[in-house]
Amino acid sequence: MTSTPTRAAEVPPSVPERSAVSVPGTPVRRAAAALSFRNIGAVYVWLVIVVLFTVWAPDTFPTTITVKQVLNGNAVAGLVALSVVPPLAARVFDLSIAFTMSLTSVLTAYFMVSSGLGPGAAIALAMTAALLIGVVNGIVVVVLRVDSFIATLATGALIQSLITMVTNDSSITGVRLLAEPFASIAQLDAGGVTLPVLYLLLAALAIWFLLEHTATGRRLYATGFNADAARLQGVRTDRLRFLTLVASALLSGFAGVVFTASVGSGSPTAGTPYLLSAYAAAFVGATQLRAGRFNAWGTVLAVLLLGTGITGLGLATSAQWAASLFTGSVLIVALVLTGGRIALPAVLRRRARTRPDSTTSKETR
């Protein structure tokens, strides 16, 4: 009965002293880890891109106008990219985001121009359509157990047919789309930085807080890493996947509304150019800050990296195909990094450990 307190009393006093000695070095190690290429490699790549285009186009690229152009021109792309982060965190693909964005773009314009509704009612109806798309995606993927990649691609085709029915593949334009208060949704600025940049930051902040500082976020990551194990621990994985698809549709739908307010027309192909760049940014973001996890700020960083490269190519008067080549190349590199950068060092370490053993065995022979 007395053995337990005796052992507690025999704990050597040097243990706290060793931990106290190691504390001063901890901030240095944390700073080195935070600034390492493994953690923020995209920042260093971004700096290389900036230097490259500064040398390539010294008269047009290194200006404050370019900085504002990168921010304003990629805010909508950032919203679309963030819309795929929650589903990907739960290992669900939503390929209907581009079609959802196009649908809300044309519906907002249609309700305002053809139906004469006010901006508030038009936006509410368009976002209701986006909500319905998210619910349909959730039912098909979660309830009917159809693979998310195929299911959302199929619903995207259905959405495209609805877009064609409404627009006949023609953009919807009108004076009301260029007038206040609708235009101010995207065109109101402060110091040359427009409101969509604020929307991007708020969306990133909300997703970051959800994933990193709530139990729901931890459950989302657990679902993405191992859905079966998470289910055995009591996590409602189906509900989480359903909600991520709804959230994805709502955020991409909001991006469509912002796009319409920005360009002053509803385009039936508004979301098409953003699909590849959104997934490229999400996968590049998964290699940054929280390596191996899809996260909000890494995605924003990747959007700005891609946007800087595309803007630089435009200012350098490169060929039209250069932007697609750049985006596709970055996506391939990101997939290589996320798929192999952790496994490769492990393989090298295993080989390093086995080499002495093989040498010793040869000597004994």
Side-chain angles (χ1 to χ4, degrees):
M1 297 294 292
T2 58
S3 59
T4 301
T6 304
R7 290 177 182 175
E10 292 176 355
V11 175
S14 58
V15 173
E17 294 176 1
R18 286 198 299 267
S19 61
V21 172
S22 62
V23 169
T26 301
V28 177
R29 291 197 298 269
R30 289 180 179 175
L35 297 176
S36 66
F37 186 85
R38 292 175 59 88
N39 191 46
I40 56 170
V43 173
Y44 300 115
V45 175
W46 191 9
L47 293 176
V48 171
I49 291 174
V50 170
V51 173
L52 174 64
F53 285 111
T54 299
V55 176
W56 191 355
D59 297 329
T60 56
F61 184 80
T63 63
T64 55
I65 296 176
T66 302
V67 175
K68 296 175 183 178
Q69 182 179 350
V70 170
L71 291 175
N72 297 331
N74 293 279
V76 173
L79 289 173
V80 181
L82 287 175
S83 71
V84 305
V85 171
L88 287 176
R91 195 168 289 184
V92 177
F93 281 90
D94 186 0
L95 297 183
S96 66
I97 54 168
F99 303 99
T100 304
M101 176 181 172
S102 299
L103 180 63
T104 55
S105 174
V106 299
L107 285 181
T108 303
Y110 176 81
F111 288 133
M112 289 184 62
V113 175
S114 301
S115 301
L117 296 179
I123 294 173
L125 289 174
M127 292 303 296
T128 301
L131 175 62
L132 291 175
I133 292 171
V135 172
V136 170
N137 283 337
I139 292 174
V140 175
V141 173
V142 177
V143 178
L144 300 181
R145 302 294 180 183
V146 180
D147 182 79
S148 62
F149 195 94
I150 302 300
T152 55
L153 192 62
T155 55
L158 296 176
I159 297 168
Q160 184 59 51
S161 66
L162 179 60
I163 293 172
T164 304
M165 185 188 306
V166 173
T167 65
N168 198 23
D169 286 334
S170 299
S171 297
I172 300 175
T173 59
V175 178
R176 298 189 65 190
L177 299 177
L178 301 172
E180 301 291 340
F182 181 72
S184 63
I185 293 175
Q187 298 179 18
L188 188 66
D189 69 277
V193 179
T194 57
L195 274 180
V197 178
L198 177 62
Y199 305 151
L200 173 63
L201 294 177
L202 290 177
L205 183 64
I207 294 174
W208 166 77
F209 183 81
L210 172 69
L211 294 178
E212 302 293 339
H213 295 281
T214 66
T216 301
R218 292 190 291 271
R219 293 178 184 129
L220 274 175
Y221 280 134
T223 301
F225 288 140
N226 193 325
D228 293 332
R231 192 180 300 109
L232 291 175
Q233 293 296 322
V235 177
R236 298 181 177 179
T237 56
D238 289 344
R239 175 184 292 184
L240 289 175
R241 287 175 169 172
F242 191 101
L243 292 177
T244 59
L245 288 169
V246 173
S248 175
L250 287 174
L251 190 52
S252 59
F254 178 70
V257 174
V258 175
F259 177 86
T260 301
S262 177
V263 302
S265 67
S267 173
T269 59
T272 304
Y274 294 100
L275 181 60
L276 177 61
S277 61
Y279 275 93
F283 276 98
V284 172
T287 67
Q288 306 300 305
L289 304 179
R290 300 282 288 172
R293 295 187 179 187
F294 294 98
N295 62 91
W297 295 119
T299 301
V300 172
L301 175 62
V303 167
L304 295 178
L305 185 153
L306 293 170
T308 302
I310 294 173
T311 301
L313 289 172
L315 294 175
T317 62
S318 59
Q320 294 182 351
W321 46 262
S324 298
L325 177 64
F326 176 79
T327 303
S329 301
V330 170
L331 178 57
I332 291 174
V333 172
L335 291 173
V336 171
L337 289 176
T338 53
R341 79 179 214 163
I342 297 176
L344 181 58
V347 171
L348 294 178
R349 286 195 298 268
R350 285 197 298 269
R351 290 181 178 178
R353 287 196 298 266
T354 55
R355 281 174 184 172
D357 297 338
S358 60
T359 304
T360 305
S361 62
K362 289 180 180 179
E363 291 177 355
T364 56
R365 291 180 183 176

